[in-house]
C-alpha cells in the first residue's frame, strides 16, 4: 500500500517562520514521525505547499514530493499528487501534522479495508468535544459533514473523521475530479469522495493521542507531555524506577533495563539504550548513547558515547561524541572527553580534557590533565598505554605517546614520546632561596616582619 501525506498547510497558528510540519516533537520534525510509520507500508509521497523547500530539506530522497501551490482543500491536495496513485493499489492518506498515528491502528484499518473490500475505509474516533472536526453521519449511508457545514443536530455527533483513510486507487482516480467546492469554506473536500460509493467501512480508534493534530504550540506541548507520561508509565511497568515522572523527559525510542533508577530533571533522548541497575541523574542529559549495566551518571551530559558496565560518571562531566568507556572506568567532576577510548579500570577524576585520546587499562589521569590535541589547524592523537600514571596538571602535546607503566611528573608539559617504564619530567627544576623573605623585609601574612 502506498501512502500520501498531506502537508501543504503553513500552520498559521504556530506563528512561526517555519512551516508547521518541520517543528520538532521529541527532537524530530513532526512529519518525519509520520513518514517513518508510513514507510512500513510501502512507498511514501508528500504534498507540500508553503515554504516547501524548507520541508524538502528534512526529507530523505526516497520520499516523493508533490507541490500544491494554492491550498484549495484536501481533495485538491490529493489531486496535485494523483500521478502517484496506482489503479491497482490502495492509498493510505495521512497528515503531516498528526505525528503519532500508530502502525498497529493503520494495520487494523488495512485489514478491515481489505476484508470488507471497501472503496473507502475511514478511521474515526469518539470525542467528548468534537467541535472543529468533520462528523461521521450514519444515515442509510455514511457521510462526513464538516463542522462549518453542520447544523445543530450534526454538531451533536461525537464520532469524528480523523482524516485518515484508505482508498482504492482506481476508485480515487475515477472520482476525485467529480468533487466540487460548493460548501461553507469554498474548498475541495476529500470527505466528499464518499458520495460516489456505498462500499464504505469505518474503524474506531480509542487512542486519541495518535489522531491528535497539532495546530499551535500549546497543542504541541500538550501532546508531547501526554506521550511522555505514557512513555514513563510504560517504563515503570517494565521495572524502571522513576523518582518523579513529571520531571523526567524520555524519548520514545529509548530503552531502559530493570531496576535502573532515574532521578529528577533528567533528559534521555534519541536512540539511547540504558542497561539494568543504573543510577541516572539528577540533572543529566543523555542523547544517542549506549549505557551498560550498573552505571552511575550524575549531573552530566552524555552524547554519542558508549559507556560499559560499572562505570561512574560525574558529577559535572561531559562525554562527547566518540567517547567509549570500558568497564569500571571512573570519570569525575569537570572532565570532558571527545573521541576518546578509555580502557578498563582507568580513571580521570578531576578537571580534565581528553580529546582524540586512546587510553589503555588501569591508567590514572591526574587532576587538571589536558590533551593538547589541536594545533590551531589540525587535531592530533594522544596514546596513553596500560598502567600509566599521568601526574596532576600535565599537558600532553599531541601527537604524543606515553609508553606502558610510565609516569609523568606533575606539572609537566610532555611534547615528546615517553618510552615504557619511564618517569618523564618536563618542567623547570625548583630552586629554594633560603631566608629570601626575611631579607626582603618579611611577609605580612606570616607576621614575621622585622
Ligand atoms: C480535515 C477533514 C475533517 C477532519 C479533519 C481532521 C476535510 C474536508 N476535512 O479537516 O473532516 O475531521 O481534517 O483533522 O478533509 N492540506 C493540504 N492542502 C490543502 C488543505 C489541507 O495539504 O489544500 C493538509 C493540511 O496541511 C493538513 C491536512 O491537510 O495537514 C488537513 O487540513 P486541515 O485544513 O487541517 O483540515 P480540516 O479542515 O481541519
Ligand atoms: Ca486541522
Amino acid at each position: 500500500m502506498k501512502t500520501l501525506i498531506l502537508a501543504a498547510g503553513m500552520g498559521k497558528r504556530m506563528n512561526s517562520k517555519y512551516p508547521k510540519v518541520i517543528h520538532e516533537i521529541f527532537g524530530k520534525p513532526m512529519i518525519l514521525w509520520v513518514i517513518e510509520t508510513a514507510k512500513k507500508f510501502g512507498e511514501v509521497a508528500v504534498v507540500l505547499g508553503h515554504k516547501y523547500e524548507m520541508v524538502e530539506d528534512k526529507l530523505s530522497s526516497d520520499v516523493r514530493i508533490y507541490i500544491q501551490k494554492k491550498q484549495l482543500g484536501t481533495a485538491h491536495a490529493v489531486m496535485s499528487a494523483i500521478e502517484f496513485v496506482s489503479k491497482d493499489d490502495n492509498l493510505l492518506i495521512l497528515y503531516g501534522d498528526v505525528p503519532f498515528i500508530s502502525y498497529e491502528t493503520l494495520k487494523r484499518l488495512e485489514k478491515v479495508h481489505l476484508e470488507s473490500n471497501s472503496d473507502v475505509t475511514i478511521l474515526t474516533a469518539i470525542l467528548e468535544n468534537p467541535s472543529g472536526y468533520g462528523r461521521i453521519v450514519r444515515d442509510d449511508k455514511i457521510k462526513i459533514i464538516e463542522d462549518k457545514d453542520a447544523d445543530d443536530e450534526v454538531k451533536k455527533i461525537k464520532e469524528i473523521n480523523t482524516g485518515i483513510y484508505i482508498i482504492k486507487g482506481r476508485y480515487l482516480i475515477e472520482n476525485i475530479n467529480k468533487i466540487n467546492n460548493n460548501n461553507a469554506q469554498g474548498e475541495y473536500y476529500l470527505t466528499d469522495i464518499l458520495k460516489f460509493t456505498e462500499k464504505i467501512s469505518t474503524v474506531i480508534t480509542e487512542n486519541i493521542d495518535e489522531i491528535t493534530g497539532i495546530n499551535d504550540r500549546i497543542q504541541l506541548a500538550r501532546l508531547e507531555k501526554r506521550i511522555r507520561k505514557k512513555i514513563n508509565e510504560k517504563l515503570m511497568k517494565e521495572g524502571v524506577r522513576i523518582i518523579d515522572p513529571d520531571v523526567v523527559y524520555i524519548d520514545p525510542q529509548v530503552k531502559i533495563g530493570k531496576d535502573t533508577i532515574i532521578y529528577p530533571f533528567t533528559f534521555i533522548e534519541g536512540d539511547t539504550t540504558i542497561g539494568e541497575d543504573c543510577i541516572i541523574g539528577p540533572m543529566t542529559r543523555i542523547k544517542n548513547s549506549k549505557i551498560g549495566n550498573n552505571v552511575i551518571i550524575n549531573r552530566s551530559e552524555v552524547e554519542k558515547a558508549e559507556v560499559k558496565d560499572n562505570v561512574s560518571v560525574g558529577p559535572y562531566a561531559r562525554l562527547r561524541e566518540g567517547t567509549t568507556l570500558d568497564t569500571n572506568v571512573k570519570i569525575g567532576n569537570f572532565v570532558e572527553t571527545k573521541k576518546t577510548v578509555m580502557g578498563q579500570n582507568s580513571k580521570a577524576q578531576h578537571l580534565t580534557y581528553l580529546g582524540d585520546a586512546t587510553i589503555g587499562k588501569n591508567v590514572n589521569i591526574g587532576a587538571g590533565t589536558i590533551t593538547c590535541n589541536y594545533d590551531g589547524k589540525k587535531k592530533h592523537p594522544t596514546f596513553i598505554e596500560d598502567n600509566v600514571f599521568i601526574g596532576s596538571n600535565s599537558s600532553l602535546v599531541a601527537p604524543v605517546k606515553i609508553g606502558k607503566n610510565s609516569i609523568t611528573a606533575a606539572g609537566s608539559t610532555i611534547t615528546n614520546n615517553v618510552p615504557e617504564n619511564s618517569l618523564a619530567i618536563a618542567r623547570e627544576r625548583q630552586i629554594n632561596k633560603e631566608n629570601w623573605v626575611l631579607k626582603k623585609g618579611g611577609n605580612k601574612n606570616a607576621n614575621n616582619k622585622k
Side-chain angles (χ1 to χ4, degrees):
M1 177 166 70
K2 290 183 169 183
T3 303
L4 183 63
I5 300 170
L6 309 188
M10 176 61 191
K12 272 197 207 115
R13 282 174 282 169
M14 294 298 279
N15 197 4
S16 172
K17 301 185 286 299
Y18 312 107
K20 175 162 71 177
V21 293
I22 66 171
H23 283 260
E24 293 189 353
I25 185 160
F26 292 107
K28 190 148 103 176
M30 59 176 97
I31 194 170
L32 295 191
W33 291 102
V34 188
I35 291 173
E36 193 178 294
T37 306
K39 277 186 177 169
K40 296 181 181 159
F41 293 91
E43 254 185 280
V44 178
V46 297
V47 179
L48 304 179
H50 280 287
K51 302 197 176 175
Y52 63 87
E53 300 91 342
M54 284 189 180
V55 185
E56 238 177 320
D57 277 353
K58 308 276 179 190
L59 304 181
S60 58
S61 57
D62 54 343
V63 175
R64 299 268 293 272
I65 295 168
Y66 294 91
I67 306 297
Q68 182 195 23
K69 289 217 178 75
K70 278 188 184 159
Q71 283 74 57
L72 304 179
T74 44
H76 183 260
V78 173
M79 276 182 237
S80 0
I82 200 70
E83 66 166 70
F84 175 69
V85 184
S86 309
K87 275 207 168 87
D88 300 317
D89 197 358
N90 288 301
L91 185 73
L92 169 65
I93 308 251
L94 298 177
Y95 291 165
D97 57 0
V98 181
F100 289 110
I101 181 66
S102 74
Y103 172 76
E104 293 71 28
T105 297
L106 295 176
K107 208 64 203 161
R108 201 150 60 85
L109 192 69
E110 186 185 36
K111 189 162 181 274
V112 169
H113 182 73
L114 296 175
E115 283 173 1
S116 61
N117 191 29
S118 298
D119 286 324
V120 184
T121 303
I122 311 162
L123 184 66
T124 74
I126 313 287
L127 295 187
E128 252 337 286
N129 174 13
S131 68
Y133 285 94
R135 306 299 205 289
I136 305 295
V137 180
R138 292 174 186 273
D139 289 339
D140 38 328
K141 201 186 115 171
I142 295 170
K143 276 191 290 190
I144 297 173
I145 299 184
E146 289 305 297
D147 193 66
K148 290 198 175 106
D149 300 296
D151 59 27
D152 290 347
E153 270 317 292
V154 169
K155 282 195 171 159
K156 282 184 199 151
I157 299 173
K158 291 191 166 168
E159 187 178 8
I160 60 103
N161 170 30
T162 65
I164 291 169
Y165 332 82
I166 298 176
I167 310 178
K168 268 189 191 162
R170 182 180 305 273
Y171 175 78
L172 185 66
I173 291 166
E174 283 169 3
N175 296 291
I176 188 97
N177 290 313
K178 296 181 195 163
I179 293 173
N180 62 43
N181 62 353
N182 301 330
N183 52 53
Q185 302 185 78
E187 283 184 10
Y188 295 89
Y189 289 168
L190 184 57
T191 45
D192 285 348
I193 198 78
L194 302 182
K195 286 182 179 166
F196 316 104
T197 181
E198 307 278 317
K199 295 200 293 188
I200 303 167
S201 298
T202 59
V203 169
I204 298 188
T205 176
E206 258 139 41
N207 179 354
I208 303 307
D209 292 342
E210 73 171 333
I211 55 121
T212 300
I214 291 165
N215 295 308
D216 60 32
R217 295 174 194 262
I218 297 167
Q219 290 172 344
L220 176 62
R222 280 191 187 144
L223 179 63
E224 197 174 51
K225 194 177 183 116
R226 287 206 304 272
I227 293 175
R228 285 195 189 289
K229 186 162 184 265
K230 284 189 191 170
I231 291 169
N232 289 354
E233 285 174 359
K234 182 167 177 277
L235 286 167
M236 288 189 280
K237 283 181 190 152
E238 289 169 0
V240 178
R241 168 88 162 111
I242 301 178
I243 304 286
D244 183 353
D246 289 341
V247 289
V248 165
Y249 306 83
I250 302 177
D251 281 0
Q253 317 91 302
V254 170
K255 294 189 180 67
I256 305 179
K258 269 195 194 6
D259 299 309
T260 282
I261 305 173
I262 316 284
Y263 278 86
F265 311 113
T266 291
F267 299 76
I268 307 175
E269 302 173 348
D271 289 316
T272 293
T273 309
I274 297 176
E276 300 188 354
D277 297 301
C278 296
I279 301 175
I280 308 293
M283 294 173 218
T284 288
R285 183 160 174 260
I286 303 175
K287 190 172 182 183
N288 297 329
S289 294
K290 190 164 179 274
I291 313 296
N293 299 320
N294 204 27
V295 169
I296 297 172
I297 302 179
N298 178 13
R299 290 166 211 256
S300 293
E301 292 269 336
V302 176
E303 186 164 1
K304 293 188 191 154
E306 185 176 355
V307 175
K308 304 220 171 127
D309 297 352
N310 308 319
V311 168
S312 145
V313 176
Y316 311 107
R318 181 174 180 211
L319 309 184
R320 293 167 57 198
E321 75 280 3
T323 294
T324 299
L325 306 181
D326 208 336
T327 51
N328 300 314
V329 162
K330 283 197 165 64
I331 297 290
N333 39 264
F334 307 107
V335 172
E336 175 184 347
T337 63
K338 188 218 68 178
K339 287 193 187 153
T340 285
V341 177
M342 274 179 93
Q344 290 174 11
N345 305 314
S346 289
K347 297 185 180 83
Q349 304 257 53
H350 333 267
L351 304 158
T352 285
Y353 172 61
L354 300 169
D356 304 291
T358 304
I359 300 167
K361 294 177 201 164
N362 307 313
V363 169
N364 188 79
I365 306 284
T369 297
I370 306 290
T371 54
C372 310
N373 60 330
Y374 186 48
D375 62 11
K377 287 190 185 125
K378 277 170 81 176
K379 300 282 168 68
H380 300 281
T382 300
F383 297 91
I384 303 173
E385 295 187 338
D386 295 352
N387 312 320
V388 163
F389 182 98
I390 302 290
S392 293
N393 201 26
S394 292
S395 301
L396 309 174
V397 181
V400 72
K401 178 172 143 186
I402 318 294
K404 257 199 314 209
N405 308 329
S406 288
I407 296 176
T408 67
S412 290
T413 298
I414 304 291
T415 53
N416 297 321
N417 291 345
V418 178
E420 292 180 18
N421 301 309
S422 311
L423 168 67
I425 309 177
R427 64 180 186 220
E428 200 76 4
R429 186 177 286 278
Q430 181 171 334
I431 303 164
N432 291 339
K433 299 190 176 177
E434 285 183 29
N435 292 325
W436 186 92
V437 173
L438 298 177
K439 280 179 214 150
K440 288 289 175 185
N443 170 353
K444 68 177 163 106
N445 297 325
N447 235 349
N448 57 359
K449 278 188 188 159
K450 267 189 188 158

